[in-house]
């Protein structure tokens, strides 16, 4: 490989801004990467005419950690720990899609109880993520109290995740072939208590925002995304459904047993920040519905596949069975091999289509693992949405497309 | 005409000499790089494929030739099917036609291809690095790019490592 120093000259960047900026008629302003309303480390180069945004150039990569490259150097099981760190508001969802991809690649079964618990946690995680979104997006629009209420509820979800997995955020609870361990006894009562409380709490958030004239002024008609733009830019998730397209991977390409659950795909017409807000609020209520169904479906049974070539044996067997010791040793030192082929598995994360392209090479390490992350793709549409709006509205738009920079930069 | 995955595969096989195969129920088509622009145009206009769901690459250096495979994940929302198109690329400094004019979503994905794999994209509106700093040397996701690690600093080798540590530029 020839290594050349690529020098970027100002000529290479000239096409990004209009002639008016070069003449000094409009102002170039740097927003971020340490700006509180950019939800992380997003840098925006704004071209402003007075207070109106003429052009907005997102600059990402400040949180690039090379996780895709690192995954290539670790075995399938070991690299799962890194998937938590991608989208840190959807850790269970990242574990889920990575495990689903591995299971598809090596053709591994998952017991019914594990499937149900997976759905239960992914939906809890969706509520938690939407709560953080609601809190921070409202905070950007100066609604301070909503932020505090949302984080109060989110903390209870994190407590439940800690109860099951031992960690509040970086859970790594789902494993290829099932779960790390079964739910603790006190989990279901705690969850039911939470589900009883939550609808009334969501009503409270709605009382604070949905009919709040200031909030409506700041969001209605701001950042309108048309259906055509949404499809062309491959937008997914609540941002797409806010533009009136009923597409949800949970329904279109069911995974982990979502085909057995009843839920509505939430859509809103309008495609503006307000529509996207309504979609997320109503999705939280749908998630509660799914979790209640999951609790009802929860049956006793194993939470790990019995396929010892891929799933380590239970601790209790190690003292009595030589075969179990060998399997345990092989799995934790060498790992399991996967066929030399590739799969692409998409799931519906709180932000949209989260896909993993996983290719094996016959050995115990992934040959290539590509993450199609919703924040990366959805962020592309920001310049389109923000043109002609005020800088203050830009803050509302960034909030409404719900990006997580860990997800964007990987 | 009813559009389904089968008709799309037949169309690509007939008009663009694609080779289809299946793995775990997912359809993959091998397509020559000269056809990718026309093929994606016909997919969007005639076969109701509205979305480019994902776009990335795999580097097979040094075992296999052609060295790169570009992976396109297409998705038809109205007909509800997904399929993968693989485009093999020869050489260490390959180039590929941009499909940004057909699927605007490809814009950042193609910048990422340039950044991570060093694949030149022809007719791209804004081909700059996207994740790495613009003065970065090399393309990290290539297989001949070392992963690298940091040596642990103990008292006995503190000074030695301190000297070798990268410093910010003046």
């Amino acid at each position: 490989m020839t290594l050349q120093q690529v020098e970027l000259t100002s000529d290479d960047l000239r096409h990004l801004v209009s002639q008016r900026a070069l003449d000094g008629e409009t102002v170039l302003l740097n927003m971020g990467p340490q700006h509180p309303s950019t939800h992380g480390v997003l840098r925006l180069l704004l071209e402003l005419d007075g207070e109106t945004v003429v052009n907005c150039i997102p600059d990402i990569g400040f949180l690039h950690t090379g996780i895709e490259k690192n995954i290539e150097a670790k075995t399938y099981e070991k690299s799962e720990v890194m998937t938590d760190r991608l989208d840190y508001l959807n850790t269970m969802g990242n574990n889920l899609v990575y495990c689903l991809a591995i299971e598809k690649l090596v053709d591994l079964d998952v017991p019914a109880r594990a499937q149900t618990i997976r759905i239960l946690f992914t939906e809890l995680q969706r509520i938690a993520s939407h709560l953080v979104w609601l809190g921070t997006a409202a905070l950007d629009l100066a609604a301070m109290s909503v932020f505090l209420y949302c984080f109060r509820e989110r903390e209870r979800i994190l407590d439940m995740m800690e109860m099951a997995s031992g960690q509040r955020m970086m859970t790594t609870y789902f494993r290829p072939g099932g779960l790390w361990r079964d739910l603790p006894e006190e989990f279901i009562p705690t969850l039911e208590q939470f589900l009883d409380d939550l609808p009334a709490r969501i009503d409270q958030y709605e009382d604070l925002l949905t009919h709040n004239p200031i909030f409506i002024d700041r969001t209605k008609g701001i950042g309108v995304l048309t259906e055509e733009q949404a499809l062309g830019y491959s937008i997914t998730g609540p941002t797409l459904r806010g533009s009136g397209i009923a597409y949800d991977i949970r329904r279109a390409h069911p995974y982990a047993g979502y085909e057995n659950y009843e839920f509505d795909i939430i859509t809103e017409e309008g495609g503006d920040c307000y529509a996207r807000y309504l979609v997320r609020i109503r999705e939280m209520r749908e998630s509660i519905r799914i979790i209640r169904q999951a609790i009802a479906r929860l049956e006793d049974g194993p939470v790990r596949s019995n396929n010892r070539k891929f799933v380590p044996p239970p601790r209790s067997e190690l003292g009595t069975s030589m075969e179990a010791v060998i399997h345990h040793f092989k799995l934790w030192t060498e790992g399991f091999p996967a066929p030399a082929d590739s799969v692409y598995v998409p799931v519906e994360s709180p932000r949209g289509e989260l896909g993993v392209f996983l290719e094996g090479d016959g050995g115990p390490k992934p040959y290539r693992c590509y993450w199609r992350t919703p924040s990366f793709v959805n962020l592309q549409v920001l310049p389109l949405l923000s043109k002609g709006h005020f800088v203050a509205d830009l803050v509302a738009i960034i909030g409404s497309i719900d990006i997580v920079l860990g997800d964007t930069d990987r | 005409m009813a559009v389904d995955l089968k008709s799309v595969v037949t169309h690509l096989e007939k008009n663009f000499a694609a080779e289809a195969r299946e793995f775990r129920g997912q359809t993959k088509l091998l397509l020559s790089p000269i056809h990718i622009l026309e093929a994606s145009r016909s997919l969007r206009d005639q076969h109701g494929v509205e979305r480019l769901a994902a776009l990335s690459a795999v580097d097979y250096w040094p075992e296999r030739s052609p060295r790169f495979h570009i992976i396109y994940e297409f998705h038809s929302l109205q007909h509800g099917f997904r399929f993968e198109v693989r485009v093999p690329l020869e050489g260490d400094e390959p180039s590929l036609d941009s499909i940004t004019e057909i699927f605007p979503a490809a814009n950042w994905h193609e910048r990422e291809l340039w950044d991570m794999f060093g694949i030149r994209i022809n007719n791209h509106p804004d081909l700059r690095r996207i994740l790495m700093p613009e003065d970065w040397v090399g393309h990290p996701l290539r297989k001949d790019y070392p992963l690298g690690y940091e040596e642990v600093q103990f008292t006995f080798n503190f000074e030695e490592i301190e000297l070798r540590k990268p410093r910010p530029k003046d």
Side-chain angles (χ1 to χ4, degrees), chain A residues 84 87-95 118-132 154 157-158 161 168-171 174 287 291 350-351:
Chain A
D84 291 314
D87 182 349
Y88 43 81
L89 296 183
N90 179 35
T91 53
M92 291 276 191
N94 293 339
N95 293 163
R118 280 182 177 187
I119 286 190
L120 197 152
F121 269 113
T122 347
E123 292 305 319
L124 262 185
Q125 184 81 75
R126 190 182 312 278
I127 296 176
S129 170
H130 282 354
L131 283 173
V132 174
R154 172 182 181 248
I157 297 181
L158 294 186
M161 282 168 31
R168 291 167 75 246
M169 287 177 78
M170 304 302 162
T171 51
F174 306 159
S287 291
I291 297 172
R351 274 157 276 285

Side-chain angles (χ1 to χ4, degrees), chain A residues 300-316:
Chain A
D300 284 343
V303 292
R304 277 177 167 206
S305 160
N306 209 24
N307 191 338
R308 294 289 155 80
K309 297 295 168 204
F310 299 104
V311 182
R315 198 80 215 171
S316 56

Side-chain angles (χ1 to χ4, degrees), chain A residues 1-6 8 12-13 15-16 57-62 64 68-70 72-73 104-107 231-236 240 245 247 249 253 339 341-346 353 357 359 366-368 370 372 376-377 379-380 408-410, chain B residues 21 23-24 26 28 50-61 63-64 71 73 75 77 80-82 84 86 92-93 103-109 112 116-117 125-126 128 130-132 134-147:
Chain A
M1 187 173 62
T2 50
L3 294 179
Q4 310 146 335
Q5 187 76 31
V6 188
L8 211 63
D12 295 333
L13 300 172
H15 68 280
L16 294 174
I57 305 156
D59 182 10
I60 60 172
F62 291 92
H64 178 64
E68 289 179 12
K69 182 90 176 166
N70 271 312
E72 288 174 10
K104 188 152 193 142
L105 188 67
V106 301
D107 204 11
L231 285 176
Y233 278 92
S234 201
I235 304 297
T236 42
L240 176 73
I245 300 175
Y247 176 66
I249 302 173
H253 307 278
D341 214 322
S342 64
V343 290
Y344 176 77
V345 179
E353 175 178 338
F357 170 88
E359 175 152 344
Y367 191 74
R368 169 94 173 98
Y370 165 67
R372 187 267 186 216
F376 179 82
V377 183
L379 185 60
Q380 266 194 85
T408 310
D409 297 343
R410 301 186 297 278
Chain B
R21 69 186 182 90
F23 178 71
R24 305 256 193 258
Q26 297 184 342
K28 300 163 199 294
E50 314 96 333
R51 279 185 66 221
L52 174 73
L55 168 53
S56 188
V58 186
D59 180 7
Y60 291 111
W61 183 87
E63 291 94 1
R64 270 161 67 180
I71 318 283
E73 298 285 347
H75 174 212
L77 210 122
F81 57 79
R82 286 169 176 272
E84 180 181 310
R86 278 173 171 257
D92 286 346
E93 283 171 29
F103 297 102
N107 189 328
W108 280 17
H109 286 304
E112 200 187 333
M116 290 294 156
F117 289 94
D126 179 22
R128 288 177 295 133
I130 185 162
L131 293 177
M132 307 304 284
E134 65 259 18
D135 58 351
W136 193 263
V137 177
H139 302 284
L141 278 177
R142 285 187 172 206
K143 288 283 176 184
D144 51 1
Y145 187 95
L147 185 61

Side-chain angles (χ1 to χ4, degrees), chain B residues 17-100:
Chain B
E19 291 166 42
R21 69 186 182 90
E22 218 169 271
F23 178 71
R24 305 256 193 258
Q26 297 184 342
T27 309
K28 300 163 199 294
L29 291 139
L30 204 64
L31 191 76
S32 157
I34 48 172
H35 293 311
I36 183 63
L37 192 62
E38 279 315 301
S40 39
R41 197 187 305 275
S42 75
L43 283 176
R44 186 194 63 179
D45 295 343
Q46 295 159 26
H47 294 89
V49 177
E50 314 96 333
R51 279 185 66 221
L52 174 73
L55 168 53
S56 188
V58 186
D59 180 7
Y60 291 111
W61 183 87
E63 291 94 1
R64 270 161 67 180
S65 175
R67 177 172 175 170
F68 294 102
H69 271 195
I70 315 294
I71 318 283
Y72 295 82
E73 298 285 347
F74 287 108
H75 174 212
S76 170
L77 210 122
Q78 45 180 319
H79 305 302
F81 57 79
R82 286 169 176 272
F83 61 98
E84 180 181 310
V85 170
R86 278 173 171 257
V87 175
L89 279 183
E90 290 274 9
D92 286 346
E93 283 171 29
S95 64
L96 180 73
D97 287 332
S98 166
I99 60 164
T100 303

Side-chain angles (χ1 to χ4, degrees), chain A residues 292-305:
Chain A
R292 284 199 191 281
Q293 292 174 49
I295 296 176
R297 292 173 62 92
L298 212 56
E299 298 161 355
D300 284 343
V303 292
R304 277 177 167 206
S305 160

